[in-house]
Amino acid sequence: MEISDETLQSVPLHLRQTERSYAGALKISLTTVHNLKKRGRLRTHTCCNKPLLTSDHKVARLRWILSHINPITGNEDPTFVDMRNVIHCDEKWFYLNPDKRRFYLLPCEEDPYMAVQSRRFKLKAMFMAIIGKPLYGINGELLHDGKYGIFPFTVQQVAQKASKKRPRGTMETKALQNINREVIREMLLTKVIPAIISKWPEGLPKDVVIQWDNARPHQVPTDDEFVAATTANGFNIQFVFQPAQSPDLNVLDLGLFRSIQSLQYQSFPRDLEELIQKVKQSYDTFNPHVNKYIWVTLQKCMIKILKAEGGNKYKIPHMNKKKLENLGSLPDLVEVQKEDVLEAVEYLNTMFRPANQGTQEDTEDLEVDAD
């Protein structure tokens, strides 16, 4: 049976979510739809929700990316700035077990059984992770893996009641469920900043930039104790906020959290303490080469955002990074086409011109600021 592309496209998207509903809308057999898929006439696509961006969000994303590109000199394409002094920071919930697991079994094997007491109240813990760019020597040797640590939001409490697991009065670990500004400050002061100072690579300037999102608890403290901690031992630790609704501009959200969670799900922790242990082990065993690839992907995503005029309607770019590394051509600082930079600057200028009702001098000031 020959079916034209116009006929296949005439079916609305809400009827194209399964092969059965698609076949029913076309009034053909399910086998015909399956054969069309095998022949390459149809493809599957998984669609997920992305953050909704306003014009202000897009402008902020373009400004952010342009600030991370070296100035244009001559006719050469510019590159991104070296982000060796930047550390990305973010939080994530890690669950004891996923809702679904996939196994490869023999026909004679019994199906695994999973049971939880409550599907609503799941055992989970929030972790704050910090990661930097890995450093390599001239000959390709690893100098620093960029890993500074992952820290759980937990407290030690005395058990009020006896159970089959521990007697009354035993110290037990409890996960904090309310992460507020005071909890974030305590985590930064006691765990994050000391870890950065102790693991910072020798030879690098001590001007450190911590990048995180602008969540409500993310407020930089200004008290004397915190300022003294960020300037101890000759360090100058500053905090910057990435643009709103932009998880694709953070290495942790871009791929590192997913890799750590995939490693953690390969284990079967039984309680909170084992969950914390497995998450830390997954972070420690995370391959520094994969961390290097994610930083390259971050720069590629920035180029996609430039071309999308600050939007997020694009696919995560794939460039066969492992193959390029084996060939010795994987770039550390990705080049940006000069035309893309100039088009982004021109787009920002056109965004500001209609809204500005002042003099010509005011318009020129806005254009310089966009540059």
Side-chain angles (χ1 to χ4, degrees):
M1 178 182 294
E2 293 295 334
I3 303 177
S4 63
D5 292 344
E6 291 77 10
T7 303
L8 295 175
Q9 293 179 355
S10 63
V11 180
L13 288 177
H14 70 274
L15 295 178
R16 287 196 255 167
Q17 300 185 60
T18 62
E19 292 183 3
R20 187 174 299 276
S21 62
Y22 201 1
L26 291 172
K27 297 181 180 181
I28 59 178
S29 65
L30 184 63
T31 305
T32 304
V33 175
H34 185 71
N35 290 335
L36 289 173
K37 181 181 175 182
K38 291 179 62 177
R39 288 162 49 190
R41 293 285 306 280
L42 297 175
R43 63 182 179 90
T44 58
H45 172 71
T46 302
C47 187
C48 59
N49 293 324
K50 292 190 176 183
L52 181 62
L53 300 178
T54 63
S55 58
D56 293 338
H57 292 149
K58 295 179 181 179
V59 169
R61 285 159 62 89
L62 285 177
R63 286 178 175 270
W64 175 268
I65 295 172
L66 291 175
S67 67
H68 285 74
I69 298 177
N70 289 314
I72 299 176
T73 57
N75 295 325
E76 298 180 356
D77 292 332
T79 60
F80 285 96
V81 298
D82 193 355
M83 291 179 278
R84 291 184 298 175
N85 65 323
V86 179
I87 294 176
H88 287 193
C89 175
D90 202 1
E91 301 88 27
K92 178 177 173 55
W93 288 105
F94 284 88
Y95 293 87
L96 187 68
N97 283 311
D99 293 332
K100 296 181 180 179
R101 287 183 183 270
R102 175 176 293 182
F103 302 94
Y104 293 93
L105 305 175
L106 298 178
C108 59
E109 286 185 289
E110 185 179 357
D111 295 341
Y113 176 73
M114 296 172 54
V116 293
Q117 186 174 3
S118 174
R119 293 176 59 90
R120 181 180 178 185
F121 301 98
K122 303 176 183 179
L123 183 59
K124 60 181 180 179
M126 178 173 283
F127 290 76
M128 174 177 282
I130 49 178
I131 195 76
K133 190 176 181 180
L135 302 179
Y136 291 86
I138 300 177
N139 299 324
E141 69 276 10
L142 181 64
L143 301 179
H144 191 269
D145 57 5
K147 294 187 287 188
Y148 295 91
I150 184 169
F151 311 101
F153 290 93
T154 57
V155 292
Q156 294 290 326
Q157 294 181 352
V158 179
Q160 301 297 326
K161 297 180 180 180
S163 67
K164 60 181 181 180
K165 295 183 179 180
R166 72 285 182 275
R168 180 186 178 186
T170 305
M171 297 298 295
E172 60 178 350
T173 304
K174 291 290 185 179
L176 294 177
Q177 303 299 320
N178 183 21
I179 310 300
N180 52 28
R181 181 175 58 184
E182 289 74 19
V183 175
I184 293 292
R185 178 192 177 277
E186 184 68 18
M187 176 63 70
L188 294 175
L189 194 61
T190 59
K191 299 293 181 63
V192 173
I193 295 178
I196 294 175
I197 293 177
S198 61
K199 298 181 181 181
W200 187 252
E202 297 182 0
L204 284 184
K206 296 184 177 181
D207 296 325
V208 184
V209 177
I210 298 179
Q211 174 187 326
W212 58 0
D213 57 25
N214 51 5
R216 186 171 299 177
H218 288 177
Q219 299 183 16
V220 182
T222 57
D223 56 279
D224 296 338
E225 182 182 7
F226 191 84
V227 173
T230 56
T231 56
N233 301 324
F235 279 84
N236 180 25
I237 302 177
Q238 302 292 331
F239 291 81
V240 296
F241 296 96
Q242 65 193 40
Q245 303 282 46
S246 300
D248 48 357
L249 294 178
N250 192 296
V251 172
L252 294 166
D253 290 322
L254 197 58
L256 190 137
F257 273 148
R258 188 177 303 174
S259 299
I260 297 176
Q261 191 173 55
S262 177
L263 294 173
Q264 182 257 321
Y265 279 163
Q266 294 178 10
S267 61
F268 293 84
R270 294 172 296 179
D271 52 25
L272 181 62
E273 293 185 354
E274 287 191 12
L275 172 63
I276 295 173
Q277 179 184 1
K278 296 301 181 181
V279 171
K280 289 184 176 180
Q281 288 180 359
S282 301
Y283 181 88
D284 294 336
T285 58
F286 178 70
N287 193 344
H289 282 79
V290 180
N291 184 21
K292 176 183 178 181
Y293 297 159
I294 299 178
W295 282 90
V296 176
T297 303
L298 172 65
Q299 301 174 59
K300 285 293 185 177
C301 287
M302 289 183 175
I303 297 177
K304 290 287 187 178
I305 295 173
L306 281 182
K307 295 181 178 180
E309 297 180 347
N312 55 9
K313 189 178 179 180
Y314 65 89
K315 296 182 180 179
I316 302 297
H318 298 281
M319 50 181 297
N320 294 325
K321 292 181 282 292
K322 187 174 182 179
K323 179 179 179 181
L324 293 177
E325 186 179 27
N326 294 333
L327 297 175
S329 58
L330 181 66
D332 183 41
L333 301 177
V334 180
E335 290 186 351
V336 189
Q337 292 185 2
K338 179 181 178 181
E339 293 76 13
D340 295 337
V341 178
L342 296 179
E343 289 178 1
V345 173
E346 180 62 24
Y347 174 76
L348 288 176
N349 291 335
T350 56
M351 287 286 292
F352 282 112
R353 284 196 192 106
N356 182 24
Q357 302 297 332
T359 62
Q360 181 67 22
E361 295 179 356
D362 296 333
T363 306
E364 294 176 356
D365 292 340
L366 286 174
E367 293 179 356
V368 172
D369 187 28
D371 293 339

